[in-house]
Amino acid sequence: MVDIDRDFKDWEKQSHKCPECGGLTANMGLDFESPKKSDLKAWNHMKDLYETGITFHSCGCTGPGYIPKDKSTLIDFLSEKKEIYIENLRFWMTRIEPKTESEKSKDWDKNSHFLFSLPNEFKTGTKKKRKTDLKKAVEYWTEKVNL
């Protein structure tokens, strides 16, 4: 509907029904390939993926990225993600902003993976005079860990 009517605001709130059973459907993305109707194990896995926020959305160029194939790999995948979130949280909780240009350069070389993983909305200033809102960074990673 948004393609037809640019002013249409509630497209995300629209519910869509399955043509087969009439039940509500979930938006799994353009790259979603549904399993066979009879494959209940695969359908249950799709439900698990959806409930954890993993869907098949992408621009269509590169696909949706890594999608775990079963429950055990899903659990492993989510555990790895949580460890990354905890590592980021520890970094931002103990961070002391560098003062001198030399310290900033060393910091950038050593910690760029942490600095890049934070959304831009928590960063201010110019490239030379970067500043990060540490409190917001800690809140961001705390929320991710607690999900």
Side-chain angles (χ1 to χ4, degrees), residues 9-66:
K9 303 273 189 253
D10 296 326
W11 65 274
E12 288 182 340
K13 297 176 186 169
Q14 296 293 314
S15 58
H16 300 279
K17 294 187 178 189
C18 172
E20 296 283 324
C21 69
L24 293 178
T25 61
N27 182 356
M28 293 297 286
L30 293 173
D31 296 318
F32 177 69
E33 292 180 18
S34 61
K36 292 181 180 180
K37 282 187 208 178
S38 59
D39 192 349
L40 295 180
K41 183 177 178 183
W43 279 108
N44 283 330
H45 182 60
M46 291 299 126
K47 180 181 171 210
D48 290 341
L49 289 174
Y50 181 74
E51 288 175 351
T52 57
I54 298 173
T55 57
F56 299 80
H57 291 91
S58 74
C59 67
C61 301
T62 59
Y66 175 69

Coordinates of all heavy atoms in Angstrom, one line a residue, residues 9-66:
K9 N 0.1 5.7 6.4 CA 1.0 5.6 7.5 C 0.9 4.3 8.3 O 1.8 3.9 8.9 CB 0.6 6.7 8.5 CG 0.7 8.1 7.9 CD 2.1 8.7 8.0 CE 2.1 10.1 7.6 NZ 2.7 10.4 6.4
D10 N -0.2 3.6 8.2 CA -0.4 2.4 9.1 C -0.1 1.1 8.4 O -0.7 0.1 8.8 CB -1.8 2.5 9.6 CG -2.1 3.7 10.5 OD1 -1.2 4.1 11.2 OD2 -3.2 4.2 10.5
W11 N 0.7 1.1 7.4 CA 1.0 -0.1 6.7 C 1.5 -1.2 7.6 O 1.3 -2.4 7.4 CB 1.8 0.1 5.5 CG 3.2 0.5 5.8 CD1 3.6 1.8 6.0 CD2 4.4 -0.3 5.9 NE1 5.0 1.8 6.2 CE2 5.5 0.6 6.2 CE3 4.6 -1.7 5.8 CZ2 6.7 0.1 6.4 CZ3 5.9 -2.1 6.0 CH2 6.9 -1.3 6.3
E12 N 2.4 -0.9 8.6 CA 2.9 -1.9 9.5 C 1.9 -2.5 10.4 O 2.0 -3.6 10.9 CB 4.1 -1.3 10.3 CG 5.3 -1.0 9.5 CD 6.4 -0.4 10.4 OE1 6.1 0.1 11.4 OE2 7.6 -0.5 9.9
K13 N 0.8 -1.7 10.7 CA -0.2 -2.2 11.6 C -1.2 -3.1 10.9 O -2.1 -3.7 11.6 CB -0.9 -1.0 12.3 CG 0.0 -0.2 13.1 CD -0.7 1.0 13.7 CE 0.3 1.9 14.4 NZ -0.2 3.2 14.7
Q14 N -1.2 -3.2 9.6 CA -2.2 -4.0 8.9 C -1.9 -5.5 9.1 O -0.8 -5.9 9.1 CB -2.0 -3.7 7.3 CG -2.4 -2.3 6.9 CD -3.9 -2.0 7.2 OE1 -4.7 -2.8 6.8 NE2 -4.1 -0.9 7.8
S15 N -3.0 -6.2 9.3 CA -2.8 -7.6 9.5 C -3.2 -8.3 8.2 O -4.0 -7.8 7.4 CB -3.7 -8.1 10.6 OG -5.1 -7.8 10.4
H16 N -2.5 -9.4 7.9 CA -2.7 -10.1 6.7 C -3.0 -11.6 7.0 O -2.5 -12.1 8.0 CB -1.5 -10.1 5.8 CG -1.1 -8.7 5.4 ND1 -1.7 -8.0 4.4 CD2 -0.2 -7.8 6.0 CE1 -1.2 -6.8 4.3 NE2 -0.3 -6.6 5.3
K17 N -4.0 -12.1 6.3 CA -4.4 -13.5 6.6 C -3.9 -14.5 5.6 O -3.7 -14.2 4.4 CB -5.9 -13.5 6.6 CG -6.5 -12.7 7.8 CD -8.0 -12.8 7.9 CE -8.4 -12.0 9.1 NZ -9.8 -12.3 9.4
C18 N -3.6 -15.7 6.1 CA -3.2 -16.8 5.3 C -4.3 -17.2 4.3 O -5.4 -17.3 4.7 CB -2.8 -17.9 6.1 SG -2.4 -19.4 5.2
P19 N -4.0 -17.3 3.0 CA -5.0 -17.7 2.0 C -5.5 -19.2 2.2 O -6.6 -19.5 1.8 CB -4.3 -17.6 0.7 CG -2.9 -17.6 1.0 CD -2.7 -17.1 2.4
E20 N -4.7 -20.0 2.9 CA -5.0 -21.4 3.2 C -6.0 -21.5 4.4 O -7.0 -22.1 4.3 CB -3.8 -22.2 3.4 CG -2.9 -22.3 2.2 CD -3.4 -23.2 1.2 OE1 -4.0 -24.3 1.5 OE2 -3.2 -22.9 0.0
C21 N -5.5 -21.0 5.6 CA -6.3 -21.3 6.8 C -7.0 -20.1 7.3 O -7.8 -20.2 8.3 CB -5.3 -21.8 7.9 SG -4.1 -20.6 8.5
G22 N -6.7 -18.9 6.8 CA -7.3 -17.7 7.3 C -6.7 -17.1 8.6 O -7.2 -16.1 9.1
G23 N -5.7 -17.8 9.1 CA -5.0 -17.3 10.3 C -4.1 -16.1 10.0 O -3.8 -15.8 8.8
L24 N -3.6 -15.3 11.0 CA -2.7 -14.2 10.8 C -1.4 -14.7 10.3 O -0.9 -15.7 10.7 CB -2.6 -13.4 12.0 CG -3.9 -12.6 12.5 CD1 -3.6 -11.9 13.8 CD2 -4.4 -11.7 11.4
T25 N -0.7 -13.9 9.5 CA 0.6 -14.2 9.0 C 1.6 -13.2 9.6 O 1.2 -12.1 10.0 CB 0.7 -14.2 7.4 OG1 0.3 -12.9 7.0 CG2 -0.2 -15.2 6.8
A26 N 2.9 -13.6 9.5 CA 4.0 -12.7 9.9 C 4.7 -12.2 8.7 O 4.9 -13.0 7.8 CB 4.9 -13.4 10.9
N27 N 5.3 -11.0 8.8 CA 6.1 -10.5 7.7 C 7.5 -11.0 7.9 O 8.3 -10.5 8.7 CB 6.1 -9.0 7.7 CG 6.9 -8.4 6.6 OD1 7.5 -9.1 5.8 ND2 6.8 -7.1 6.5
M28 N 7.8 -12.0 7.1 CA 9.1 -12.7 7.2 C 10.2 -12.1 6.2 O 11.3 -12.5 6.2 CB 9.0 -14.2 7.0 CG 8.3 -14.9 8.1 SD 9.1 -14.8 9.7 CE 10.4 -15.9 9.5
G29 N 9.7 -11.2 5.3 CA 10.6 -10.6 4.4 C 10.6 -11.2 3.0 O 10.1 -12.3 2.8
L30 N 11.2 -10.4 2.1 CA 11.1 -10.9 0.7 C 12.0 -12.1 0.4 O 11.7 -12.8 -0.6 CB 11.7 -9.7 -0.2 CG 10.8 -8.5 -0.3 CD1 11.5 -7.4 -1.1 CD2 9.4 -8.8 -0.9
D31 N 13.0 -12.4 1.2 CA 13.9 -13.5 0.9 C 13.4 -14.8 1.6 O 14.0 -15.8 1.5 CB 15.3 -13.2 1.4 CG 15.9 -12.1 0.7 OD1 15.8 -12.0 -0.6 OD2 16.6 -11.2 1.3
F32 N 12.2 -14.7 2.2 CA 11.6 -15.9 2.9 C 11.2 -16.9 1.9 O 10.4 -16.6 0.9 CB 10.5 -15.5 3.8 CG 9.8 -16.6 4.5 CD1 10.5 -17.3 5.5 CD2 8.5 -17.0 4.2 CE1 9.8 -18.4 6.1 CE2 7.9 -18.1 4.8 CZ 8.6 -18.7 5.8
E33 N 11.6 -18.2 2.1 CA 11.1 -19.3 1.3 C 10.4 -20.2 2.3 O 11.0 -20.8 3.1 CB 12.2 -20.0 0.6 CG 12.9 -19.2 -0.5 CD 14.0 -19.9 -1.2 OE1 14.1 -21.2 -1.0 OE2 14.8 -19.3 -1.8
S34 N 9.1 -20.4 2.1 CA 8.3 -21.2 3.0 C 8.6 -22.6 2.9 O 8.8 -23.1 1.7 CB 6.8 -20.9 2.9 OG 6.4 -21.2 1.6
P35 N 8.7 -23.4 4.0 CA 8.8 -24.8 3.9 C 7.6 -25.5 3.4 O 6.5 -24.9 3.2 CB 9.1 -25.2 5.4 CG 9.2 -24.0 6.1 CD 8.6 -22.9 5.3
K36 N 7.7 -26.8 3.1 CA 6.5 -27.5 2.7 C 5.5 -27.5 3.8 O 5.8 -27.5 5.0 CB 6.9 -29.0 2.4 CG 7.7 -29.1 1.1 CD 8.0 -30.6 0.9 CE 8.9 -30.7 -0.4 NZ 9.3 -32.1 -0.7
K37 N 4.2 -27.5 3.4 CA 3.1 -27.5 4.4 C 3.3 -28.6 5.5 O 3.0 -28.4 6.6 CB 1.8 -27.7 3.8 CG 1.2 -26.5 3.1 CD -0.2 -26.8 2.6 CE -0.6 -26.0 1.4 NZ -1.9 -26.3 1.0
S38 N 3.7 -29.8 5.0 CA 3.8 -30.9 5.9 C 5.0 -30.9 6.8 O 5.1 -31.7 7.7 CB 3.8 -32.2 5.1 OG 4.9 -32.2 4.2
D39 N 6.0 -30.0 6.6 CA 7.2 -30.0 7.4 C 7.0 -29.2 8.6 O 7.4 -28.1 8.7 CB 8.4 -29.4 6.5 CG 9.7 -29.7 7.1 OD1 9.8 -30.1 8.3 OD2 10.7 -29.4 6.4
L40 N 6.4 -29.8 9.6 CA 6.1 -29.1 10.9 C 7.4 -28.7 11.6 O 7.4 -27.6 12.3 CB 5.2 -30.0 11.8 CG 3.8 -30.3 11.2 CD1 3.0 -31.2 12.2 CD2 3.1 -29.0 10.9
K41 N 8.4 -29.5 11.6 CA 9.6 -29.2 12.2 C 10.2 -27.8 11.7 O 10.6 -27.0 12.4 CB 10.7 -30.3 12.1 CG 12.0 -30.1 12.8 CD 12.9 -31.2 12.7 CE 14.2 -31.0 13.4 NZ 15.2 -32.1 13.2
A42 N 10.2 -27.7 10.4 CA 10.7 -26.5 9.7 C 9.8 -25.3 10.1 O 10.3 -24.2 10.3 CB 10.8 -26.7 8.2
W43 N 8.5 -25.5 10.1 CA 7.6 -24.4 10.5 C 7.8 -24.0 11.9 O 7.7 -22.8 12.2 CB 6.1 -24.8 10.2 CG 5.8 -24.6 8.8 CD1 5.5 -25.6 7.9 CD2 5.6 -23.4 8.0 NE1 5.3 -25.1 6.6 CE2 5.3 -23.7 6.7 CE3 5.7 -22.0 8.4 CZ2 5.1 -22.7 5.7 CZ3 5.5 -21.1 7.4 CH2 5.2 -21.4 6.1
N44 N 8.0 -24.9 12.8 CA 8.3 -24.6 14.2 C 9.6 -23.8 14.3 O 9.7 -22.9 15.1 CB 8.3 -25.8 15.1 CG 6.9 -26.3 15.4 OD1 5.9 -25.5 15.5 ND2 6.8 -27.6 15.6
H45 N 10.5 -24.2 13.5 CA 11.8 -23.4 13.5 C 11.6 -22.0 13.0 O 12.2 -21.1 13.5 CB 12.8 -24.2 12.6 CG 14.2 -23.5 12.6 ND1 14.9 -23.3 13.8 CD2 14.9 -23.0 11.6 CE1 16.0 -22.7 13.5 NE2 16.1 -22.5 12.2
M46 N 10.8 -21.8 11.9 CA 10.5 -20.5 11.4 C 9.8 -19.7 12.5 O 10.1 -18.5 12.7 CB 9.6 -20.5 10.2 CG 10.2 -21.1 9.0 SD 11.6 -20.2 8.4 CE 12.8 -21.4 8.3
K47 N 9.0 -20.3 13.3 CA 8.3 -19.6 14.4 C 9.4 -19.1 15.4 O 9.3 -18.0 15.9 CB 7.3 -20.5 15.0 CG 6.5 -19.9 16.2 CD 5.5 -20.9 16.8 CE 5.0 -20.3 18.1 NZ 4.6 -21.3 19.0
D48 N 10.3 -20.1 15.8 CA 11.4 -19.7 16.7 C 12.2 -18.5 16.2 O 12.5 -17.6 16.9 CB 12.3 -20.9 17.0 CG 11.6 -22.0 17.8 OD1 10.6 -21.7 18.4 OD2 12.1 -23.1 17.7
L49 N 12.5 -18.6 14.9 CA 13.3 -17.5 14.3 C 12.6 -16.2 14.4 O 13.1 -15.2 14.8 CB 13.6 -17.8 12.8 CG 14.6 -18.9 12.5 CD1 14.7 -19.1 11.0 CD2 16.0 -18.6 13.1
Y50 N 11.3 -16.2 14.1 CA 10.5 -15.0 14.1 C 10.4 -14.4 15.5 O 10.5 -13.2 15.7 CB 9.1 -15.2 13.5 CG 8.2 -14.0 13.5 CD1 8.5 -13.0 12.5 CD2 7.2 -13.8 14.4 CE1 7.7 -11.9 12.5 CE2 6.4 -12.7 14.4 CZ 6.7 -11.7 13.4 OH 5.9 -10.6 13.4
E51 N 10.2 -15.3 16.5 CA 10.0 -14.9 17.9 C 11.3 -14.3 18.4 O 11.2 -13.5 19.4 CB 9.5 -16.0 18.7 CG 8.1 -16.4 18.5 CD 7.6 -17.6 19.2 OE1 8.4 -18.3 19.9 OE2 6.4 -17.8 19.2
T52 N 12.4 -14.6 17.9 CA 13.7 -14.1 18.3 C 14.1 -12.9 17.5 O 15.2 -12.3 17.7 CB 14.8 -15.1 18.4 OG1 15.0 -15.7 17.1 CG2 14.6 -16.2 19.4
G53 N 13.3 -12.5 16.5 CA 13.6 -11.3 15.7 C 14.4 -11.6 14.5 O 14.8 -10.6 13.8
I54 N 14.6 -12.8 14.1 CA 15.3 -13.1 12.9 C 14.3 -13.3 11.7 O 13.5 -14.2 11.8 CB 16.2 -14.4 13.0 CG1 17.2 -14.1 14.1 CG2 16.9 -14.8 11.7 CD1 18.0 -15.3 14.5
T55 N 14.4 -12.5 10.7 CA 13.6 -12.6 9.5 C 14.4 -12.5 8.3 O 15.6 -12.5 8.4 CB 12.5 -11.4 9.5 OG1 13.2 -10.2 9.6 CG2 11.6 -11.5 10.7
F56 N 13.8 -12.6 7.1 CA 14.5 -12.7 5.9 C 14.3 -11.3 5.1 O 14.0 -11.3 3.9 CB 13.9 -13.8 5.1 CG 14.0 -15.2 5.8 CD1 13.2 -15.5 6.8 CD2 15.1 -16.0 5.4 CE1 13.4 -16.8 7.4 CE2 15.2 -17.2 6.1 CZ 14.4 -17.6 7.1
H57 N 14.6 -10.2 5.7 CA 14.5 -8.9 5.1 C 15.9 -8.5 4.6 O 16.9 -8.7 5.3 CB 14.0 -7.9 6.1 CG 12.6 -8.0 6.5 ND1 12.2 -8.8 7.6 CD2 11.5 -7.6 5.9 CE1 10.9 -8.7 7.7 NE2 10.4 -8.0 6.7
S58 N 15.9 -8.0 3.4 CA 17.2 -7.4 2.8 C 16.7 -6.6 1.6 O 15.6 -6.6 1.3 CB 18.1 -8.5 2.4 OG 17.7 -9.1 1.2
C59 N 17.7 -6.0 1.0 CA 17.4 -5.2 -0.2 C 17.2 -6.1 -1.4 O 16.8 -5.7 -2.4 CB 18.5 -4.1 -0.4 SG 20.1 -4.9 -0.9
G60 N 17.6 -7.4 -1.2 CA 17.5 -8.3 -2.3 C 18.8 -8.6 -3.0 O 18.9 -9.5 -3.7
C61 N 19.8 -7.8 -2.7 CA 21.1 -7.9 -3.3 C 21.9 -9.1 -2.7 O 22.5 -9.9 -3.5 CB 21.9 -6.7 -3.2 SG 21.1 -5.2 -3.9
T62 N 22.0 -9.1 -1.4 CA 22.9 -10.1 -0.8 C 22.2 -11.1 0.1 O 22.8 -11.9 0.7 CB 23.9 -9.3 0.1 OG1 23.2 -8.6 1.1 CG2 24.8 -8.4 -0.7
G63 N 20.9 -11.0 0.1 CA 20.1 -12.0 0.9 C 20.1 -11.5 2.4 O 20.6 -10.5 2.7
P64 N 19.4 -12.3 3.2 CA 19.2 -11.8 4.6 C 20.4 -12.1 5.5 O 20.3 -11.7 6.7 CB 18.0 -12.7 5.0 CG 18.2 -13.9 4.2 CD 18.7 -13.5 2.9
G65 N 21.4 -12.7 5.1 CA 22.5 -13.0 5.9 C 22.4 -14.4 6.5 O 21.6 -15.2 6.1
Y66 N 23.1 -14.6 7.6 CA 23.1 -16.0 8.2 C 21.8 -16.2 8.9 O 21.4 -15.5 9.7 CB 24.3 -16.1 9.2 CG 24.3 -17.4 9.9 CD1 24.5 -18.6 9.3 CD2 24.0 -17.4 11.3 CE1 24.5 -19.8 9.9 CE2 23.9 -18.6 12.0 CZ 24.2 -19.8 11.3 OH 24.2 -21.0 12.0

